[in-house]
């Protein structure tokens, strides 16, 4: 039995050595799907209120779409961005400056990677307590429910977090394409953070200056069809530990769902060549909760597979975080303590995905009784 314990980022290999982790039988869901099964193993079956359907899905609402090219030109688009950050914490971006051919190529090669035989993909395993590779992240115990998803997770920047042995050599051009893609997404993250700073009345360079040599990691998620999609979850509800996340999804079907302020799950319908952006826990802390990281999850489908390529952009590990003084006032007292971002990342990747629970680590007054 292979035990898999994964986190993204360079500083955390020691977590494995400290704890002997028993995660039990973890199947590869693509292989399960290939067997033509009509039921799903118990470990994937969620309890009632943790199932995807129910009356809490609001299929009619849409997250905002922002035209990045318009952001420097005037107040209207910036106002839209402010509203998107305040009301949703999630938006799609178009006119983002990344060549559509590059997005298509990244999607195609990622799909080809997941279509490789298991033995090929297992050349890049998420080692027990390891950091990156192919497998299942966020599984820490034998009784934990599993997500209907396969993942390939890789640290990208800075160079010190890269594990080149885990960068697939097949399909051909995967590595170069990921490299080119990541450089473009990095630029976009910087641009977005500069505009997000503006929406908060901060100098555009605020986050860029503060983040130092920002950490960038990518996770590719592949969700094969599932015979009982109404019983399982593709990816458990969570907020991201990043500052911002940029998600590319294929056009096959909607799977990503975002928790609205009213508490409903709102599907993010794919828009051709748009990228989905969400605010992570880091921005919630820095803005003292003015902007919030938002819970999201992925549901799966009975007929179609689905692919997402997700980039997490966060401060360098040695950066000290805490609410910026501008956001701490008599009306908005300090809600988060100061901590080191590396410490938070370590906490994040050694906790299972459970809504916004990870952020309690940073709260001055975490909820009691949980
Ligand atoms: O696949 C998706 O749409 C969600 C992925 C996601 O939220 C993540 O990888 O953090
Ligand atoms: Fe996420």
């Amino acid at each position: 039995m292979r035990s898999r314990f994964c986190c993204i980022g360079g500083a955390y290999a020691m977590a494995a050595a400290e704890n002997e982790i028993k995660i039990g039988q973890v199947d590869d869901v693509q292989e399960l799907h290939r067997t033509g099964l009509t039921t799903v193993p118990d470990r994937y079956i969620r309890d009632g209120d943790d199932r995807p359907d129910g009356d809490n899905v609001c299929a009619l609402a849409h997250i905002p779409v922002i035209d990045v090219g318009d952001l420097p030109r005037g107040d209207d688009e910036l106002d839209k961005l402010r509203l998107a950050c305040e009301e949703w914490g999630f938006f799609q971006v178009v006119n983002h400056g990344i060549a559509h051919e590059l997005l298509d190529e990244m999607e195609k090669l990622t799909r080809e990677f997941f279509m490789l035989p298991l033995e090929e993909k297992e050349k890049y395993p998420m080692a027990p307590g390891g950091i990156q590779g192919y497998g299942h992240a966020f599984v820490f115990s034998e009784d934990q429910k599993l997500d209907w998803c396969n993942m390939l997770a890789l640290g990208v920047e800075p160079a010190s977090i890269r594990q080149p042995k885990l960068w697939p050599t097949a399909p051909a051009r995967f590595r170069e394409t990921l490299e080119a893609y990541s450089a473009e997404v990095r630029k976009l993250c910087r641009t977005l953070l500069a505009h997000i700073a503006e929406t908060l009345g901060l100098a555009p360079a605020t986050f860029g200056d503060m983040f130092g040599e920002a950490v960038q990691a990518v996770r590719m998620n592949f969700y094969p069809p599932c015979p009982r999609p109404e019983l399982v979850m593709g990816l458990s509800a969570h907020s991201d530990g990043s500052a911002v996340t940029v998600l590319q999804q294929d056009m096959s079907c909607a799977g990503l769902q975002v928790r609205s302020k009213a508490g409903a799950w709102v599907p993010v319908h794919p828009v051709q060549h748009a990228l989905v952006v969400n605010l992570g826990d880091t921005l919630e802390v820095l803005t003292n909760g003015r902007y919030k990281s938002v819970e999201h999850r992925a549901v799966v489908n009975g007929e179609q597979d689905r692919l997402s390529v997700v980039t997490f952009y966060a401060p360098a590990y040695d950066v000290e975080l805490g609410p910026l003084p501008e956001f701490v006032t008599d009306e908005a007292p300090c809600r988060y303590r100061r901590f080191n971002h590396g410490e938070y990342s370590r906490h994040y990747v050694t906790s299972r995905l459970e809504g916004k629970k990870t952020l309690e680590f940073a709260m001055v007054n975490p909820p009691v009784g949980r």
Side-chain angles (χ1 to χ4, degrees):
M1 181 50 42
R2 182 138 58 86
S3 116
R4 292 180 174 129
F5 172 86
C6 156
C7 47
I8 296 177
Y12 312 115
M14 70 237 270
E18 286 166 10
N19 311 301
E20 180 52 38
I21 300 148
K22 293 208 180 83
I23 64 171
Q25 171 78 29
V26 178
D27 295 310
D28 183 289
V29 285
Q30 283 175 269
E31 297 305 309
L32 278 183
H33 170 64
R34 249 176 229 146
T35 65
L37 77 177
T38 52
T39 56
V40 290
D42 249 13
R43 278 198 83 181
Y44 296 91
I45 299 180
R46 301 291 175 139
D47 296 334
D49 55 359
D50 200 17
R51 289 184 185 168
D53 49 34
D55 42 15
N56 208 15
V57 175
C58 177
L60 294 176
H62 289 276
I63 62 168
V65 178
I66 303 288
D67 185 323
V68 181
D70 274 351
L71 284 170
R73 279 198 274 275
D75 285 345
D76 284 0
E77 206 64 16
L78 218 50
D79 285 344
K80 228 171 122 184
L81 177 62
R82 183 182 300 108
L83 208 65
C85 292
E86 273 166 3
E87 295 303 313
W88 288 95
F90 253 90
F91 47 93
Q92 309 218 42
V93 293
V94 293
N95 200 9
H96 43 59
I98 305 183
H100 293 177
E101 296 74 19
L102 184 56
L103 299 181
D104 292 343
E105 187 69 357
M106 192 66 239
E107 181 185 317
K108 175 172 160 284
L109 293 174
T110 306
R111 180 170 284 277
E112 279 175 29
F113 170 79
F114 281 105
M115 291 305 142
L116 292 172
L118 184 60
E119 313 80 77
E120 183 63 34
K121 292 183 281 188
E122 289 196 323
K123 289 181 183 165
Y124 315 100
M126 272 183 194
I131 300 166
Q132 305 167 32
Y134 176 75
H136 287 80
F138 305 109
V139 183
F140 305 107
S141 70
E142 288 172 299
D143 57 2
Q144 195 180 327
K145 291 290 179 194
L146 299 176
D147 290 332
W148 192 266
C149 178
N150 284 336
M151 293 172 170
L152 172 66
L154 299 169
V156 178
E157 296 286 352
S160 56
I161 72 163
R162 278 198 196 195
Q163 296 195 12
K165 284 199 182 113
L166 295 178
W167 283 52
T169 51
R173 295 199 48 75
F174 178 88
R175 287 170 163 227
E176 302 92 292
T177 305
L178 180 56
E179 192 85 65
Y181 176 85
S182 295
E184 289 298 298
V185 175
R186 194 171 179 85
K187 276 193 252 164
L188 176 63
C189 289
R190 287 171 198 254
T191 303
L192 289 171
L193 281 167
H195 291 303
I196 290 170
E198 285 183 273
T199 66
L200 290 161
L202 302 170
T206 305
F207 299 124
D209 289 349
M210 184 193 303
F211 286 7
E213 215 181 340
V215 169
Q216 184 176 353
V218 66
R219 185 158 67 223
M220 290 151 250
N221 304 300
F222 187 82
Y223 308 92
C226 177
R228 299 298 306 275
E230 75 285 9
L231 300 180
V232 310
M233 199 50 75
L235 190 63
S236 304
H238 65 283
S239 61
D240 293 339
S242 56
V244 283
T245 301
V246 173
L247 179 146
Q248 181 183 347
Q249 56 178 339
D250 65 10
M251 290 296 292
S252 64
C253 53
L256 173 61
Q257 295 183 340
V258 175
R259 179 90 92 170
S260 76
K261 270 194 167 172
W265 291 105
V266 174
V268 178
H269 297 282
V271 172
Q272 184 97 51
H273 295 131
L275 294 164
V276 180
V277 176
N278 64 284
L279 310 186
D281 296 342
T282 302
L283 279 190
E284 174 163 338
V285 170
L286 289 172
T287 64
N288 197 30
R290 168 107 165 254
Y291 287 171
K292 295 208 166 41
S293 64
V294 170
E295 252 186 276
H296 53 287
R297 66 184 191 180
V299 299
V300 295
N301 194 280
E303 289 82 38
Q304 276 168 311
D305 56 37
R306 179 171 171 269
L307 178 76
S308 62
V309 179
V310 187
T311 298
F312 304 97
Y313 187 87
Y317 290 131
D318 60 0
V319 171
E320 287 285 314
L321 294 177
L324 297 174
E326 291 85 337
F327 302 105
V328 180
T329 60
D330 286 347
E331 297 74 49
C334 187
R335 298 177 57 184
Y336 306 90
R337 62 185 182 84
R338 291 193 70 75
F339 56 90
N340 166 271
H341 178 63
E343 199 193 338
Y344 185 63
S345 296
R346 181 184 159 100
H347 171 70
Y348 188 92
V349 297
T350 53
S351 307
R352 65 194 177 97
L353 299 179
E354 199 180 349
K356 290 191 61 167
K357 192 156 173 36
T358 343
L359 192 55
E360 291 175 15
F361 169 95
M363 288 180 175
V364 173
N365 291 310
V368 280
R370 287 188 54 177

